[in-house]
C-alpha cells in the first residue's frame, strides 16, 4: 500500500506553505515560487552546502543557515531576503571573486556563467576585499575539454557529478587552503587520467573552469540563453541518449545531457564523448550541389533535374536490358528508419534490384546464422538491464569505442557494487578494473567460447581449446574462475561485439545464445544477450530487412547500383571497396565521398544527420525514438523524402505511403512485428 509522505507546515517570507517532511528549505521555497540564489547546488546532484549563497534566516537560529542542506521542520519561520542576508551573500560572493581570476572579459564562458549571473543579481559591481589569488595551471592536454583552475570556485559540482552519476570518481579535491584545486586521479592531467571524456563535469560547472574546446563560443558568444534549445536524441550508437541541442543562427553550439527528471535510464542522462563532442566537429567536405563524373574522370556540378534524370534513366535502362538482378543497393545503417524504408522500397519495388544490403550486412548474417542454429528467433535484452546483472561477460567488444555509455555503466557497476565483469578477447579502457580479462589473438575467440561451453558442461575438452588459443597459465586460471562465476551467477548477461558478429561462421555466437538460454530468460522472453551493433541504427536496419541474409553475390554481374551514405566515414567502409568497375553507381550522400571518387558516377546531395528528422531503433532493438532535426538543410539541398519521391516518379514506382507520417508509421509497424 502506498504510504503518504508526512507533511510539514512552515512560513517562508510570511507565506504559509506545506511541503513533504524531509524537504530542504530551498526545495520548499522553490515549490512555492520563492527564489533563493544558489551556486554549488545542482538539481541532479546531492546537496553539499559549500558556497553559502543560499543562506536564509531561520527562527531560533543565531546564524544564517544554508537552505540547500537544512531540512524543514513543522512551525519553522524562514526569511529568504532582507538587507542583512543580501549583504552576507554579496560579501561571500566577493570572497569567491577575490580568490581566483574571474575576469569575465577574457573568459570563454562570459554570458553563460552562473557566477557572473549571480554578481549581476546581487549587484556586486566591484570588490571591497583585496585580490588574493595564486596563479593556477590550465590543462589543455585533452582534445575535448580544457580546465582553467583560475576560474574554478571549488563548488564541487564536478566532483559530485563524476562520483554520483558517472561512478568514476576521477575528479577530487587536492591540496589545502588557498592552494586547493580540482585534481584528476593522482594529480594527473586530463589526458593522462582515467577520465573517459563524458563531459558531465563540464556540463555542471557553473563557471568557465571547464570548457568545451569544440564549442563555437567566439562565433556567437556562447549565450546559451539566446539559443534555441531542442529536445532530441543522439542517434550515433543506438543508446538513443536524450539531449538538449543548443542552436543559434543554424549553428549547433552545444549539446547537453538531460540530467534532471526521471528518464528511466540507468545512465541518468549522461552523454558520452561521441554524443557531446563528436557531433560538434565539422568533418567531411559538404556536398552542396548534385555532381556527375565526366568521361575524363573529373567531377562537374549538375542541376537537380539533370542528376535525377541521369540516375533514374540509368537504373531504368539496366532494369529493362539486364533485369533487376544486375542491380544492387547498399545503405548505411546510420540512416533513420524512414530513410531506410524509402531506400529499400525504391530499390526492391521501384528497381527490382537483385541485391539490397547495408554496410554492416556481414554482422547481420552471422546473427541470422546463430538464430538458425538455435532454431528460434531471439529477442535481445535491453541494455538498461546491465546494472542489474550479477555477472557480465563481454565478448569481442570494446564498448568504450562502440557504445561508450555501456562501458561507463560497467565501470560504475564494478567500482560501486563489485559487479563481476569479464572481458574476453578484446580490451577496453575499463578493463583494468574488470574482474577478469582474458585476451586472445584475433581468430581465437571461438576457441575461448568453445572452452567456456565445455567448462560449463564439466567436460575436460576445454583444456585443449585453451591451449590452442595460446592462453598463458595466468589466463587459464582466470578463465576457470570465469566459468565458475558464470555457473554461480543468478542474473548474468552476455554483451557481444563486432569481433564476434564479424566472424563468418555463426557457430561461436550460436554457442553464446545457447549458454544465455540456459540461464533462463528475462521478462518478455528476452535472452540474456545484448549485441553491440556497428552503426547507430543497425538494429532498425536489421529489423526492417534492409540487411541481406544472403551473402554478397559476385560483383561481376552488377551493372548498376545506388548507395546511401550517412556519416562522413561511411565512404571508407570495406563494403564499398569493390564498387569500381560496376557500370554505373550513384550515391546519395551529405558529403563528398573522397575515397569513392573514382568508383561512383553521380552524386545526389542529401541533408546531414543533424538536418534530418526521423526515428531510430535502440541497439538492442527494444525501443524506437524520434530525433527531431537540429539544423536547417542548406538552401538548394533536397530532403530524403523529396529525393526518393522524385526518383520513384521517374522510374514509375508508386509507394504506399503519401507522407512522412505514413512512412514513420509503416516503419514503426514493421519494427514492432519483427525480430532480426
Ligand atoms: Fe547552498 Fe551552495 S547553494 S551552500
Amino acid at each position: 500500500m502506498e504510504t503518504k509522505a508526512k507533511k510539514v507546515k512552515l512560513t517562508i517570507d510570511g507565506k504559509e506553505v506545506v511541503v513533504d517532511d524531509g524537504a530542504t528549505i530551498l526545495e520548499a521555497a522553490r515549490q512555492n515560487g520563492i527564489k533563493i540564489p544558489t551556486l554549488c547546488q545542482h538539481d541532479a546532484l546531492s546537496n553539499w552546502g559549500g558556497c553559502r549563497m543560499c543562506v536564509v534566516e531561520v527562527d531560533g537560529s543565531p546564524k544564517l543557515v544554508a537552505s540547500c542542506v537544512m531540512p524543514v521542520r513543522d512551525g519553522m519561520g524562514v526569511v529568504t531576503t532582507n538587507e542583512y542576508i543580501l549583504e552576507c551573500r554579496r560579501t561571500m560572493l566577493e570572497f569567491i571573486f577575490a580568490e581566483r581570476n574571474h575576469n569575465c572579459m577574457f573568459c570563454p564562458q562570459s554570458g553563460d556563467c552562473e557566477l557572473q549571473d549571480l554578481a549581476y543579481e546581487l549587484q556586486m559591481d566591484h570588490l571591497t576585499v583585496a585580490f588574493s589569488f595564486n596563479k593556477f595551471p590550465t590543462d589543455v592536454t585533452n582534445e575535448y575539454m580544457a580546465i582553467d583552475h583560475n576560474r574554478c570556485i571549488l563548488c564541487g559540482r564536478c566532483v559530485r557529478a563524476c562520483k554520483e552519476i558517472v561512478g568514476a570518481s576521477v575528479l577530487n579535491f587536492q591540496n589545502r587552503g588557498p592552494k586547493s584545486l580540482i585534481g584528476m586521479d593522482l594529480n594527473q592531467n586530463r589526458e593522462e587520467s582515467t577520465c573517459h571524456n563524458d563531459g558531465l563535469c563540464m556540463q555542471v560547472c557553473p563557471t568557465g573552469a571547464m570548457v568545451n574546446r569544440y564549442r563555437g563560443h567566439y562565433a556567437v558568444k556562447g549565450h546559451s540563453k539566446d539559443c534555441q534549445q531542442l529536445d532530441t536524441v543522439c542517434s550515433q550508437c543506438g543508446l538513443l541518449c536524450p539531449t538538449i541541442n543548443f542552436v543559434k543562427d543554424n549553428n549547433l553550439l552545444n549539446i547537453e545531457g538531460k540530467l534532471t527528471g526521471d528518464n528511466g535510464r540507468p545512465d541518468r542522462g549522461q552523454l558520452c564523448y561521441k554524443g557531446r563532442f563528436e557531433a560538434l566537429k565539422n568533418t567531411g567536405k559538404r556536398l552542396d550541389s548534385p555532381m556527375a563524373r565526366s568521361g575524363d574522370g573529373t567531377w562537374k556540378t549538375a542541376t537537380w533535374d539533370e542528376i535525377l534524370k541521369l540516375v533514374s534513366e540509368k537504373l531504368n535502362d539496366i532494369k529493362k536490358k539486364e533485369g533487376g538482378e544486375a542491380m544492387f543497393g547498399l545503405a548505411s545503417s546510420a540512416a533513420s528508419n524512414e530513410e531506410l524504408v524509402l531506400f529499400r522500397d525504391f530499390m526492391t519495388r521501384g528497381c527490382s534490384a537483385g541485391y539490397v544490403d547495408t554496410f554492416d550486412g556481414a554482422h547481420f548474417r552471422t546473427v541470422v546464422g546463430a538464430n538458425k542454429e538455435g532454431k528460434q528467433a531471439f529477442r535481445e535484452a535491453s541494455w538498461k538491464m546491465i546494472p542489474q546483472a550479477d555477472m557480465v561477460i563481454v565478448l569481442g567488444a570494446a564498448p568504450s569505442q562502440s557504445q561508450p555509455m555501456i562501458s561507463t555503466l560497467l565501470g560504475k557497476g564494478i567500482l560501486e557494487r563489485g559487479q563481476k565483469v569479464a572481458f574476453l578477447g578484446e580490451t577496453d579502457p575499463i578493463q583494468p578494473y574488470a574482474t577478469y580479462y582474458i585476451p586472445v589473438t584475433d581468430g581465437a575467440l571461438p576457441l575461448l567460447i568453445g572452452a567456456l561451453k565445455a567448462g560449463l558442461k564439466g567436460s575436460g575438452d576445454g583444456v585443449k581449446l585453451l591451449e590452442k588459443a595460446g592462453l598463458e597459465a595466468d589466463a587459464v586460471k582466470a578463465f576457470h574462475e570465469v566459468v565458475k562465476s558464470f555457473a554461480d551467477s543468478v542474473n548474468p548477461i552476455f554483451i557481444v561485439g563486432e569481433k564476434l558478429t564479424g566472424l563468418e561462421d555463426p557457430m561461436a555466437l550460436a554457442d553464446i545464445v545457447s549458454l544465455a538460454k540456459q540461464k533462463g530468460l528475462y521478462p518478455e522472453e528476452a535472452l540474456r544477450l545484448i549485441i553491440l551493433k556497428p552503426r547507430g541504427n543497425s538494429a532498425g536496419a536489421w529489423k526492417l530487412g534492409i540487411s541481406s541474409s544472403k551473402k554478397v553475390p559476385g560483383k561481376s554481374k552488377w551493372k548498376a547500383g545506388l548507395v546511401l551514405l550517412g556519416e562522413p566515414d561511411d565512404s571508407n567502409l570495406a563494403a564499398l571497396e569493390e564498387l569500381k568497375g560496376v557500370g554505373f553507381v550513384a550515391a546519395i550522400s551529405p558529403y563528398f565521398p573522397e575515397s569513392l571518387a573514382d568508383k561512383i558516377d553521380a552524386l545526389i546531395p542529401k541533408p546531414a544527420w543533424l538536418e534530418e528528422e526521423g526515428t531510430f531503433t535502440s541497439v538492442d532493438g527494444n525501443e524506437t525514438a524520434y530525433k527531431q532535426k537540429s539544423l536547417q538543410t542548406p538552401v538548394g539541398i533536397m530532403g530524403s523524402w523529396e529525393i526518393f519521391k522524385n526518383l520513384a516518379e521517374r522510374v514509375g514506382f508508386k509507394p504506399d505511403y503519401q507522407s512522412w507520417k505514413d512512412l514513420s508509421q509503416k516503419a514503426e509497424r514493421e519494427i514492432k512485428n519483427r525480430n532480426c
Side-chain angles (χ1 to χ4, degrees), residues 37-41 49-54 66 68:
T38 54
L39 203 47
C40 67
Q41 188 272 344
C51 73
R52 317 308 275 187
M53 261 329 111
C54 64
C68 69

Side-chain angles (χ1 to χ4, degrees), residues 26 30 36-42 47-55 65-69 155 157 160:
L26 179 68
R30 283 183 177 168
I36 299 175
T38 54
L39 203 47
C40 67
Q41 188 272 344
H42 189 287
N47 294 322
W48 190 51
C51 73
R52 317 308 275 187
M53 261 329 111
C54 64
V55 287
V65 301
S67 61
C68 69
V69 284
C155 68
R157 280 193 192 176
R160 279 173 284 151

Side-chain angles (χ1 to χ4, degrees), residues 35-37 52-57 64 67 79-95 121-122 124:
K35 187 172 180 284
I36 299 175
R52 317 308 275 187
M53 261 329 111
C54 64
V55 287
V56 293
E57 281 180 1
L64 296 181
S67 61
V79 176
T80 68
T81 316
N82 60 29
E83 254 323 299
Y84 174 64
I85 295 171
L86 287 175
E87 192 51 41
C88 288
R89 286 180 189 151
R90 212 176 290 131
T91 306
M92 284 180 288
L93 194 61
E94 281 191 44
F95 284 134
E121 188 183 326
L122 295 175
M124 194 215 80

